[in-house]
Amino acid sequence: MFGKTVLRIESALIFLPVKFRRSRRGLSQIKKYTTYWHFIMSQKKDSVQIILKFPTNCLSDKFAALKLSPQLLRAIDEMGFDQMTPIQAASIPPLIAGKDIIGQSKTGSGKTAAFVIPIIQRIKVSDLVPQGLILCPTRELCEQVLGECKKLSKYLPKLKSLSLIGGQAYPPQEKALLEGVQLIVGTPG
């Protein structure tokens, strides 16, 4: 009765877990995410597939159009980001709204910023408790993602981030957790 909505964006796939019933209400939930894209919809037994076609002006969406904090926008600007990539344009708005997604895109397409920007935007810096967890398959990727998190939170000095990875001494990591941290980037095992 409930299915997943699959959005195919050029080479990217994004799965939005939407309570979709074959009704007008379900279709309006899908249209909410696709307001500036043309889409083709096909229904299968348990899911709906939407193939998005980007108009040329959609690819020029700017980060400034998002309702991001001025500190985050300043960091994004300093990193040289002006226009969102397709994966960013498709994933940042629903993530900021608290929706769950799974995104897949080519290397170098801006996936890290696509999930880190909404996480940082949603963190309440006044609460020194873990509010974001990013799991990476390798230590190297964990350190790379943590570096991007630190760059994007450069102007949010109260935002504390930490990497929890194997092969490191446990006491310093435990101490940092006890002192309070909002964003954790780690590897399993």
Side-chain angles (χ1 to χ4, degrees), residues 29 57 71 85 110 124 157:
Q29 287 179 324
N57 63 351
Q71 299 91 339
T85 64
K124 295 177 182 161

Side-chain angles (χ1 to χ4, degrees), residues 92-144:
I92 292 174
L95 285 171
I96 288 174
K99 305 294 182 190
D100 294 333
I101 70 164
I102 298 172
Q104 180 181 350
S105 187
K106 292 181 181 179
T107 302
S109 61
K111 289 183 300 291
T112 303
F115 64 82
V116 170
I117 289 170
I119 290 172
I120 291 173
Q121 177 65 28
R122 291 180 54 91
I123 287 178
K124 295 177 182 161
V125 292
S126 58
D127 296 338
L128 280 174
V129 295
Q131 300 171 48
L133 173 64
I134 301 170
L135 293 177
C136 301
T138 65
R139 284 189 264 179
E140 294 78 14
L141 186 57
C142 181
E143 292 300 328
Q144 180 184 337

Side-chain angles (χ1 to χ4, degrees), residues 138-140 142-143 163-170 173 185-189:
T138 65
R139 284 189 264 179
E140 294 78 14
C142 181
E143 292 300 328
S163 67
L164 295 177
I165 55 177
Q168 300 288 328
Y170 182 72
Q173 292 182 24
V185 183
T187 57

Side-chain angles (χ1 to χ4, degrees), residues 10 25 30 33 49 51 58 68 91 109 111 116 133 142 159 163:
E10 294 180 341
R25 183 173 179 264
I30 293 167
Y33 292 109
Q49 181 174 14
I51 302 170
C58 178
L68 300 175
S91 62
S109 61
K111 289 183 300 291
V116 170
L133 173 64
C142 181
L159 193 145
S163 67

Side-chain angles (χ1 to χ4, degrees), residues 3-10 12-15 20 22 27 30 34 39-52:
K4 282 191 177 178
T5 301
V6 181
L7 303 180
R8 193 174 82 218
I9 303 167
E10 294 180 341
L13 278 175
I14 295 184
F15 303 88
F20 180 80
R22 289 174 179 88
L27 185 57
I30 293 167
T34 59
F39 66 93
I40 303 164
M41 186 174 80
S42 65
Q43 295 186 8
K44 294 183 180 177
K45 185 177 179 182
D46 294 328
S47 66
V48 174
Q49 181 174 14
I50 300 174
I51 302 170
L52 297 178

